[in-house]
Amino acid sequence: MRDFFITNTLTRQKELFKPVNSGHVGLYVCGPTVYGDAHLGHARPAITYDVLVRLLRKLGYKVRYVRNITDVGHLEQDADEGEDKIAKKARLEQLEPMEVVQMYTERYHDAMRSLNVLPPSIEPRATGHIIEQIAIVKKILEAGYAYESNGSIYFDVEKYNNDHHYGILSGRSLDETKEGTRSLDGQGDKRAPYDFALWKKASPEHIMHWPSEWSEGFPGWHLECSAMSEKYLGREFDIHGGGMDLMFPHHECEIAQNVASRGTAGVRYWMHNNMITINGKKMGKSLGNFITLFDLFSGNNSVLSQAYSPMTIRFFILQAHYRSTLDFSNEALQAAEKGLARVLGAANDLNAMATAAGPVQGEPSKAVTDLYEACYNALCDDLNTPIALSYVFEGVKMVNAAKDGSAKLSAADLQGLKKLFDEVLFDILGLQNEATSDGKSAAIIDGLMKMVLEDRAAAKAAKDWAKSDKIRDALSALGISVKDTRDGAEWHI
């Protein structure tokens, strides 16, 4: 099994990955809060951890991938205030909260399928684990790191910090946390503004609430991940992933809850993907640059100059390392669209050449095997997808050179390159030809294109240039490029 190196947010160092249980990997990733359509910011963590899962499985690990659904939209601010976003959406659309949850969960799944993101092994919901969350609150109270105030339970950050280190993940001291915490109205129940809710007494107008020995209320936002990760992955597990914006306070609070309730932080490696910006600015509705994934797929947004396919979005995200900021722009996506077309076109050409080459004799050349190893080395070096893609494009150059006759590849080389494309480009990076993603569709499209190009060839033979150009232009409008060669015509989507 190859070595895999991961940058641990907790230690801020690149470490050799060693699972808690040899051969088995437990991965927990914070999923979406489902009160609206998935947006560009949701795509990056989904694709990042999808590639991680694909790679680990390809390396021979058995992976249990848990990605939660937050189906209670309360307490997403460090001030423990604000309206429940799901309840607000339910009132606006005159629906039950669980109708809102079900509708947007299904739409999230639709968007993920379009992006070729594999489903997790388990997808638990916060509302399905209220009993487990109440049990954790009791343990934290018994350990002395929480207090009751008017039916609500708050985590005592200062007392915990005296015994441990609140801020170990984000690198903050308690003094820095004090300075960065807002004192707002409605926090009178807390001993300190930076204390966070474990259980919140529900106000009369609050729609979603459950009984407890303290009050009719609901659990704090940070609690759900501690409860669900422990239930499905155990007291200690391998990797906890999520966006950089969750590092503080959400993941910091998770660590404090874990230590207080079970005596261990529980996570061996913390992994955080960085953010996506829009033309250098943070995405937000107030800034007028908020883009849902369905906007991207349809082009129905004033920020967009055109529609972009799901695979273009996936390719665009993979072009940057997961820990670096990724800036969205129409120009960047159009460049990604061209790059994707180039690599998929080479993959199609490679398949045709490998099939025509006949039986394989001998082994691939050193140049091909070195390229294959370089791709895996990049992916095993903290999931370096842009470097892996750069090596894939070296393979594209080899294919194109063989196609135009400027270089020769043996049957073994062609099969070696095909293995590289199949394993790295398609299996691990998860890219696919959207128009020909299954054999039946591919056969139908190939047959139709053969008929169209034969009709165009007949028009050219009859010197009916108007008809020939009309067919070419119609295909171009559909996103299909046609290139005339000595042997006829070639087409690519």
Side-chain angles (χ1 to χ4, degrees):
M1 191 175 289
R2 296 170 186 262
D3 287 340
F4 176 69
F5 292 87
I6 182 172
T7 295
N8 191 347
T9 308
L10 187 64
T11 63
R12 287 147 178 84
Q13 292 180 352
K14 194 179 292 183
E15 301 177 16
L16 176 63
F17 177 66
K18 294 182 179 179
V20 173
N21 297 310
S22 180
H24 294 74
V25 177
L27 168 66
Y28 187 92
V29 174
C30 293
T33 302
V34 283
Y35 64 93
D37 276 332
H39 52 73
L40 191 57
H42 287 129
R44 190 169 199 190
I47 290 169
T48 295
Y49 301 109
D50 181 58
V51 172
L52 176 65
V53 170
R54 288 168 178 267
L55 174 62
L56 290 174
R57 286 175 177 162
K58 184 65 74 173
L59 295 179
Y61 291 105
K62 293 182 179 179
V63 182
R64 177 177 288 177
Y65 174 22
V66 181
R67 183 185 68 203
N68 76 297
I69 293 288
T70 298
D71 56 352
V72 188
H74 52 249
L75 304 185
E76 293 192 20
Q77 303 174 36
D78 58 359
D80 289 334
E81 294 299 320
E83 189 172 11
D84 183 319
K85 294 182 179 180
I86 291 174
K88 181 179 179 181
K89 193 77 170 181
R91 279 196 292 272
L92 288 172
E93 301 192 11
Q94 296 185 322
L95 298 170
E96 285 291 324
M98 286 299 105
E99 285 185 280
V100 172
V101 166
Q102 186 66 20
M103 176 173 63
Y104 286 114
T105 298
E106 287 302 315
R107 287 179 66 79
Y108 175 78
H109 289 158
D110 288 343
M112 294 304 104
R113 279 190 290 269
S114 296
L115 292 168
N116 197 28
V117 170
L118 300 175
S121 312
I122 304 172
E123 191 172 57
R125 294 187 179 190
T127 55
H129 298 78
I130 301 298
I131 293 173
E132 290 86 351
Q133 294 178 74
I134 289 175
I136 291 177
V137 176
K138 289 179 180 179
K139 289 179 181 178
I140 297 174
L141 279 167
E142 290 169 3
Y145 292 115
Y147 57 90
E148 182 179 356
S149 179
N150 295 325
S152 294
I153 308 296
Y154 293 98
F155 193 93
D156 191 331
V157 171
E158 188 160 8
K159 185 172 183 180
Y160 173 85
N161 190 66
N162 289 337
D163 298 332
H164 305 283
H165 178 194
Y166 183 78
I168 191 171
L169 182 66
S170 61
R172 300 185 184 203
S173 67
L174 189 57
D175 288 339
E176 289 171 326
T177 303
K178 289 177 183 178
E179 293 172 4
T181 304
R182 296 174 297 171
S183 295
L184 300 178
D185 293 339
Q187 290 188 326
D189 291 345
K190 295 183 182 183
R191 293 177 183 171
Y194 43 75
D195 290 348
F196 58 90
L198 297 172
W199 185 264
K200 189 80 170 176
K201 182 180 180 180
S203 58
E205 66 272 11
H206 201 94
I207 299 176
M208 303 175 78
H209 49 80
W210 294 265
S212 77
E213 61 187 69
W214 314 292
S215 65
E216 186 78 13
F218 47 87
W221 173 42
H222 311 305
L223 201 58
E224 64 186 69
C225 291
S226 287
M228 291 186 283
S229 63
E230 182 178 13
K231 178 168 183 176
Y232 297 109
L233 297 175
R235 292 179 69 254
E236 290 188 293
F237 61 94
D238 298 300
I239 304 173
H240 194 317
M244 195 77 75
D245 57 324
L246 297 178
M247 189 189 307
F248 187 90
H250 185 48
H251 291 162
E252 198 73 75
C253 292
E254 273 191 64
I255 290 176
Q257 291 167 165
N258 294 350
V259 171
S261 65
R262 52 179 128 146
T264 174
V267 180
R268 183 168 288 190
Y269 306 94
W270 287 89
M271 185 175 178
H272 291 89
N273 64 276
N274 216 319
M275 311 307 295
I276 287 181
T277 57
I278 311 290
N279 294 314
K281 296 180 180 179
K282 185 177 179 180
M283 184 172 67
K285 291 182 179 179
S286 62
L287 297 174
N289 64 356
F290 186 82
I291 308 174
T292 72
L293 291 175
F294 294 111
D295 287 343
L296 283 161
F297 302 159
S298 67
N300 186 25
N301 189 301
S302 60
V303 175
L304 303 171
S305 62
Q306 65 176 75
Y308 298 99
S309 74
M311 284 303 101
T312 297
I313 305 304
R314 188 173 181 111
F315 185 80
F316 167 69
I317 288 171
L318 294 174
Q319 284 182 303
H321 192 272
Y322 76 89
R323 288 191 294 108
S324 64
T325 303
L326 178 59
D327 189 51
F328 164 94
S329 68
N330 280 287
E331 293 76 15
L333 273 182
Q334 287 161 14
E337 188 175 57
K338 291 177 181 177
L340 177 64
R342 185 179 169 212
V343 74
L344 291 180
N348 291 337
D349 292 336
L350 177 60
N351 286 337
M353 287 189 287
T355 300
V360 175
Q361 295 180 349
E363 298 295 325
S365 65
K366 188 175 184 299
V368 172
T369 56
D370 284 353
L371 210 55
Y372 178 87
E373 288 299 315
C375 282
Y376 270 97
N377 289 341
L379 291 168
C380 289
D381 183 15
D382 199 22
L383 210 64
N384 202 326
T385 57
I387 296 299
L389 277 172
S390 72
Y391 288 122
V392 169
F393 273 98
E394 289 298 316
V396 170
K397 290 179 183 178
M398 289 183 179
V399 172
N400 291 340
K403 182 183 174 183
D404 66 24
S406 61
K408 185 173 177 59
L409 291 173
S410 67
D413 281 343
L414 292 170
Q415 286 299 331
L417 286 171
K418 188 175 184 301
K419 182 181 180 183
L420 183 155
F421 275 59
D422 287 346
E423 290 188 14
V424 175
L425 193 68
F426 301 123
D427 292 349
I428 298 175
L429 298 182
L431 294 165
Q432 59 182 188
N433 192 329
E434 292 156 307
T436 58
S437 57
D438 63 82
K440 185 176 180 181
S441 296
I444 292 171
I445 292 171
D446 283 340
L448 289 172
M449 284 302 301
K450 184 178 180 181
M451 292 169 57
V452 171
L453 292 179
E454 284 177 353
D455 193 27
R456 180 170 176 266
K460 289 180 69 177
K463 297 185 179 181
D464 187 349
W465 309 119
K467 182 178 180 180
S468 171
D469 290 345
K470 184 178 180 181
I471 293 173
R472 182 199 62 205
D473 294 342
L475 290 173
S476 178
L478 294 171
I480 301 172
S481 64
V482 176
K483 181 180 179 182
D484 292 313
T485 69
R486 290 175 294 179
D487 302 319
E490 295 177 348
W491 62 276
H492 296 291
I493 296 174

